[in-house]
Amino acid sequence: MPIAVDLFIPCFVDQIFPHTAMNMVKVLEAVGCEVHYNANQTCCGQPAYNAGYKTEACTVARKFLHDFPAGASDRYVVSPSASCVGMVRNAYAELFEGTDDQPRYYGLQRRIFELTEFLVDVLGITEIPGSALAGQYTYHDSCSALRECGIKEAPRLLLDAVTGLERVEMADNETCCGFGGTFAVKFEAISVAMAQQKVEHALATGAQYIISTDTSCLMHLDAYIRRENKPIKTLHVADALASGW
C-alpha cells in the first residue's frame, strides 16, 4: 500500500521556485508515495514570528493546524524547506503552550518532516533510482536544517548516490549564509559579506553546484553569484534528485 503524504509548500517555493515543489512530487511518487495537496494552505507564520509579531504568527499557525489536521490516516506532512519545518516543529511549542490547540500541535509535530529526512529516516531510502547529474557539488548546511531539525547526513547520503555527482566539502559549511529572513534587510552589509564568504568557500572547492535543503539560503547565495558573475550554480536537493530521469 502506498504511503500517503501531504505536501507543505512554503511561500518561497510556491512563489519563486515552483519547479522545486514539482520535483519533490516527482521524487516522492518515484519511491511509491501517494501525494496529496491542500490548496488552502498558506504560510506557516515564520516571518511574523521572527519579527516579533507572535499574536499574528499564532493566527497564521492556527490556520496551519487546521490545514493539516490529524485524521484516521495521520498522513505524514513533507516539505522542501527545513526552515519552515523547524518553525512548525519547534516554535509552535511556544505559540500553543497551554492552549486548546496544544494537543493538535503535538500531533502535527510528530508527522512533519523535511524531504530528505523523510526519505532517509522514515522510509529508509538512500538512493533515488535513475537520478543522474554530472559534476561536483558542495553542500551548504542551512541553519534551520542543522540546528533546528538535526539534518546533516540525510541529504548527503541521497546526493552522493546520484550518478555522476561527487561531493567536495567546503570550509565552514555549517556557517550561516547570511540570509536570515529580515536580517538580510536590516543588516544588508553584514548579510552580503556572509554570502560572499560562503560563495568564496564554495568556489575554492572547484564544485559546479552549491546544494542545500532551503530555497531561501539558495536564493540569497544565487543573488550574490549573479551580481558578481561567479562560475557556480545553486540547486535545491529536490531538483538534484529529480535530475536525469
Side-chain angles (χ1 to χ4, degrees):
M1 179 180 295
I3 296 177
V5 301
D6 283 317
L7 296 182
F8 164 36
I9 306 301
C11 307
F12 268 111
V13 178
D14 178 58
Q15 295 297 313
I16 306 175
F17 304 101
H19 61 277
T20 296
M22 296 307 297
N23 279 331
M24 184 177 75
V25 173
K26 180 180 175 181
V27 169
L28 288 171
E29 290 183 339
V31 298
C33 291
E34 179 184 280
V35 179
H36 300 262
Y37 178 72
N38 178 2
N40 292 321
Q41 65 181 269
T42 52
C43 181
C44 66
Q46 182 178 184
Y49 179 81
N50 288 346
Y53 293 95
K54 294 185 179 179
T55 299
E56 292 80 358
C58 193
T59 300
V60 179
R62 188 169 289 113
K63 179 183 183 302
F64 191 94
L65 292 184
H66 287 275
D67 288 340
F68 296 97
S73 62
D74 279 343
R75 293 198 294 248
Y76 292 106
V77 179
V78 183
S79 176
S81 170
S83 174
C84 295
V85 169
M87 170 69 186
V88 175
R89 191 179 285 173
N90 302 307
Y92 278 22
E94 176 187 358
L95 293 177
F96 295 121
E97 183 178 8
T99 71
D100 292 340
D101 290 305
Q102 192 171 33
R104 190 194 300 264
Y105 155 67
Y106 284 139
L108 178 59
Q109 184 191 44
R110 292 190 295 269
R111 295 184 293 116
I112 189 164
F113 293 91
E114 180 273 332
L115 173 64
T116 64
E117 66 171 345
F118 176 71
L119 291 171
V120 175
D121 299 337
V122 177
L123 301 185
I125 292 170
T126 58
E127 180 179 358
I128 305 302
S131 61
L133 181 64
Q136 293 182 315
Y137 82 95
T138 191
Y139 188 80
H140 164 58
D141 289 285
S142 77
C143 296
S144 296
L146 185 66
R147 297 173 178 86
E148 292 189 45
C149 300
I151 298 168
K152 187 173 179 68
E153 295 303 323
R156 287 174 168 84
L157 284 171
L158 290 161
L159 291 168
D160 288 351
V162 173
T163 300
L165 196 59
E166 177 187 0
R167 171 161 48 104
V168 283
E169 296 284 4
M170 72 174 109
D172 298 331
N173 54 13
E174 296 183 357
T175 299
C176 180
C177 70
F179 178 62
T182 55
F183 176 87
V185 178
K186 293 180 178 179
F187 304 99
E188 179 183 355
I190 300 174
S191 176
V192 172
M194 294 171 73
Q196 178 183 11
Q197 181 186 59
K198 177 66 67 170
V199 171
E200 292 299 330
H201 285 326
L203 288 169
T205 67
Q208 289 80 51
Y209 303 100
I210 301 173
I211 302 182
S212 186
T213 54
D214 284 83
T215 56
S216 52
C217 297
L218 296 170
M219 179 188 69
H220 181 59
L221 295 174
D222 186 59
Y224 177 81
I225 289 168
R226 288 174 180 269
R227 191 187 75 176
E228 300 298 324
N229 196 28
K230 298 295 185 180
I232 195 167
K233 297 179 180 180
T234 58
L235 196 63
H236 189 275
V237 62
D239 299 324
L241 297 177
S243 295
W245 54 283

